[in-house]
Amino acid sequence: MIEVGALRALRAVAALGTLARAAEELGFTASAVSQQIKRLERQVGVPVLAPAGRGVVLTPAGQAIADSAPEVFQALEHCAEAARSVSAGAPRGTLRVVAFSTAIRGLLAPVVPRLASRCPQLRVELTEQDPDEALHSVGAGTADLALVHDADGLLPAPLPPSLVRRWVHTDVGDVVMSRAHPLARLEAPLDEASLAGHAWVTSPPGTVCHQWFRRLFAQARAEPDVRHLVDDFATQLSLVVAGQVVALIPRLARPPLGEDLIARPLRRPPKREVHAVWRRSAEASPAIRAVLAELGPAACWRTVS
């Protein structure tokens, strides 16, 4: 009979292309993954990998096994979750959660202490990952639950049938400034015209927040005055305190502002939707349900197809 560990190793190699990368994802050494693959080949009686440059590719037999793997993993997970759900429904064990940094700061960090109090047998492990990486981790079985955002307001990409997505939060961007800054005296919400002519600190190009910033000035006649490019929001705020620049910061990313700073809403604020994603085979997981319940009632019922 094929061992589950060997099947998981083959699937990781198929997705990542090398034994080393598969080993890193699975938390093993490359030698251990190689031994699992060799054991699988002995069990099925045919080679499942072939060398390809510095990496490897699946043989037709290996591809056939990898294509069948998701059904096997889903069946096994159904069995495990069925057992957990009938055992008084108490969340227990380890739940591996992956999320982008501001979701950890604004959504998960407040939840973890409450879960520890209400579910003492549940251990929650958080890992920071960008949305694309987080979806891969959940699909590959190396994480149980992901929080992802919709990439600057674009419609979420379709998920494979094996995954479920549910809305948990809408994040909004505000302009943060010193209380002594001229913008602080204007009536909120702020519009595009009122933002013109002021100096900014903003996130670097390639980030969602930089895309938000560029959108604010999409119709402007002149380029905005960007003085600083800083990825860390706490560092942005340290520059804003001096009163020379203002910043566009998502609410999820915003620490307490203190007495010297103020956040003002925009007339047309940038937004992004945050979704929880998990494997359909884990639908009955008491641990996942417990986290969703702490994130808010809407997370438990507003399913997005």
Side-chain angles (χ1 to χ4, degrees):
M1 181 179 295
I2 294 176
E3 297 178 5
V4 175
L7 192 58
R8 193 176 299 280
L10 180 67
R11 190 183 183 200
V13 172
L16 301 173
T18 69
L19 294 173
R21 293 181 63 190
E24 181 179 359
E25 175 163 295
L26 295 172
F28 299 137
T29 64
S31 176
V33 171
S34 177
Q35 290 300 317
Q36 288 179 318
I37 297 297
K38 290 178 180 178
R39 189 157 51 247
L40 175 61
E41 291 179 329
R42 289 196 298 270
Q43 290 166 345
V44 299
V46 293
V48 297
L49 292 180
R54 296 185 178 180
V56 291
V57 295
L58 271 64
T59 65
Q63 188 63 57
I65 295 173
D67 290 343
S68 301
E71 297 178 11
V72 176
F73 294 137
Q74 289 172 31
L76 291 171
E77 192 159 36
H78 273 306
C79 291
E81 296 304 340
R84 295 187 185 106
S85 64
V86 299
S87 179
R92 65 187 68 219
T94 299
L95 186 73
R96 302 161 298 173
V97 182
V98 290
F100 57 101
S101 62
T102 51
I104 293 177
R105 178 200 293 268
L107 294 176
L108 292 171
V111 162
V112 170
R114 298 199 301 266
L115 281 169
S117 175
R118 298 177 185 180
C119 308
Q121 294 179 298
L122 178 63
R123 173 188 172 96
V124 177
E125 297 179 349
L126 304 179
T127 301
E128 180 182 340
Q129 291 185 354
D130 290 334
D132 288 344
E133 185 182 4
L135 288 176
H136 169 76
S137 294
V138 173
T142 56
D144 304 304
L145 178 68
L147 291 187
V148 301
H149 61 72
D150 62 359
D152 194 29
L154 300 177
L155 290 175
L159 289 180
S162 60
L163 299 183
V164 178
R165 175 197 285 125
R166 290 185 187 173
W167 174 89
V168 296
H169 184 79
T170 299
D171 192 18
V172 177
D174 297 314
V175 178
V176 180
M177 65 207 71
S178 164
R179 289 184 181 273
H181 194 279
L183 282 177
R185 298 192 292 269
L186 298 182
E187 183 179 352
L190 302 177
D191 57 22
E192 290 84 347
S194 63
L195 300 177
H198 296 287
W200 293 80
V201 54
T202 186
S203 300
T207 63
V208 169
C209 291
H210 189 82
Q211 294 173 12
W212 279 7
F213 176 76
R214 297 303 306 179
R215 185 182 298 167
L216 283 182
F217 295 95
Q219 305 301 322
R221 295 181 179 179
E223 281 290 303
D225 181 7
V226 177
R227 302 283 178 89
H228 316 296
L229 293 172
V230 177
D231 196 29
D232 179 71
F233 293 111
T235 305
Q236 288 189 26
L237 293 179
S238 70
L239 293 166
V240 172
V241 167
Q244 303 299 312
V245 294
V246 297
L248 174 64
I249 296 183
R251 292 176 185 175
L252 282 182
R254 204 168 71 209
L257 295 179
E259 298 181 356
D260 297 327
L261 297 176
I262 186 172
R264 302 297 296 272
L266 291 159
R267 190 175 303 279
R268 292 189 295 177
K271 299 179 180 180
R272 57 180 173 179
E273 304 297 336
V274 181
H275 297 87
V277 179
W278 63 93
R279 292 180 296 281
R280 192 175 299 276
S281 53
E283 185 77 25
S285 167
I288 290 177
R289 290 177 178 268
V291 173
L292 293 180
E294 291 294 343
L295 288 172
C300 298
W301 58 263
R302 185 178 167 185
T303 302
V304 180
S305 58

